[in-house]
């Protein structure tokens, strides 16, 4: 569970960073919504852990945050500035995270049977929110991939 918490923190930080790199755009607005939702999901997951009496390891999310920040230094062919490949990779990783989060909520609800046992989480809503977040980001991911691999069509 601590590994899942650490991944949630990493995706939250990635969503915030990508949002900040795209401020003032439609993508930035979408990422603001997604980053807020991911932050809420991280807190929900912490609540689930508390209700299950699982101690959250403070070191693991902190190390994940440090690793995410170190990953920002990767230049993607540019020494300065934000490259189209950077945008695509960030969105690709976010989509992977959203799919992983959806799977986690589904596993907790269905396989672990926590949907009936826990009062802290509405797993159906969490699964639907992950789907909505993925749908919100997907058009931007496709556009970023097209720009990164084929060049801008503008």
């Amino acid at each position: 569970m601590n590994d899942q918490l650490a991944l949630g923190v990493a995706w939250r930080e990635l969503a915030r960073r990508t949002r900040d790199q795209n401020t003032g755009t439609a993508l930035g607005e979408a990422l603001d919504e997604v980053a807020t939702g991911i932050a809420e999901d991280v807190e929900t997951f912490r609540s689930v852990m508390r209700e299950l009496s699982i101690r959250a390891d403070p070191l693991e999310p902190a190390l994940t945050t440090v690793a995410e920040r170190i990953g920002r230094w990767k230049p993607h062919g540019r020494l300065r500035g934000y490259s189209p490949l950077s945008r695509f990779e960030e969105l690709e990783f976010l989509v992977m995270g959203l799919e992983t989060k959806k799977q986690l909520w589904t596993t907790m609800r269905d396989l672990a049977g926590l949907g009936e046992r826990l009062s802290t989480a509405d797993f159906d809503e969490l699964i639907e929110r992950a789907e909505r977040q993925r749908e919100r980001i997907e058009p931007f991911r496709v556009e970023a991939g097209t720009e990164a691999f084929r060049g801008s069509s503008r």
Side-chain angles (χ1 to χ4, degrees), residues 30-89:
L31 287 165
D32 189 49
E33 294 170 24
V34 170
T36 299
I38 293 171
E40 291 169 2
D41 290 341
V42 167
E43 291 311 309
T44 298
F45 194 75
R46 288 182 195 275
S47 296
V48 166
M49 289 177 68
R50 279 191 297 276
E51 194 165 346
L52 293 172
S53 300
I54 297 171
R55 186 182 156 280
D57 179 0
L59 187 58
E60 205 164 334
L63 290 174
T64 302
T65 299
V66 169
E68 186 276 331
R69 295 208 171 121
I70 289 171
R72 295 177 186 192
W73 293 346
K74 190 174 179 183
H76 297 296
R78 291 188 182 174
L79 293 178
R80 300 177 62 101
Y82 190 61
S83 77
L85 184 57
S86 294
R87 179 176 294 111
F88 173 71
E89 276 192 354

Side-chain angles (χ1 to χ4, degrees), residues 7 15 36 42 78 82 85 90 94 96 99 113 132 136 145:
L7 285 171
T36 299
V42 167
R78 291 188 182 174
Y82 190 61
L85 184 57
E90 290 170 354
L94 274 175
M96 285 188 242
E99 286 297 320
R132 287 191 307 269
R136 184 81 165 101

Side-chain angles (χ1 to χ4, degrees), residues 13-32:
E13 294 304 309
L14 178 61
R16 288 174 175 170
R17 174 182 62 168
T18 308
R19 173 202 61 204
D20 294 346
Q21 288 291 333
N22 294 279
T23 300
T25 68
L27 173 57
E29 291 174 22
L31 287 165
D32 189 49

Side-chain angles (χ1 to χ4, degrees), residues 68-135:
E68 186 276 331
R69 295 208 171 121
I70 289 171
R72 295 177 186 192
W73 293 346
K74 190 174 179 183
H76 297 296
R78 291 188 182 174
L79 293 178
R80 300 177 62 101
Y82 190 61
S83 77
L85 184 57
S86 294
R87 179 176 294 111
F88 173 71
E89 276 192 354
E90 290 170 354
L91 294 173
E92 187 78 2
F93 284 125
L94 274 175
V95 165
M96 285 188 242
L98 295 169
E99 286 297 320
T100 300
K101 178 174 66 167
K102 177 183 166 187
Q103 188 60 48
L104 172 67
W105 296 135
T106 302
T107 297
M108 294 177 84
R109 180 192 67 190
D110 298 343
L111 302 181
L114 296 179
E116 296 111 26
R117 292 180 26 211
L118 298 180
S119 63
T120 56
D122 179 347
F123 290 104
D124 292 333
E125 173 55 30
L126 291 165
I127 292 164
E128 289 173 20
R129 178 161 62 181
E131 289 172 352
R132 287 191 307 269
Q133 290 170 338
R134 168 98 166 57
E135 290 169 3

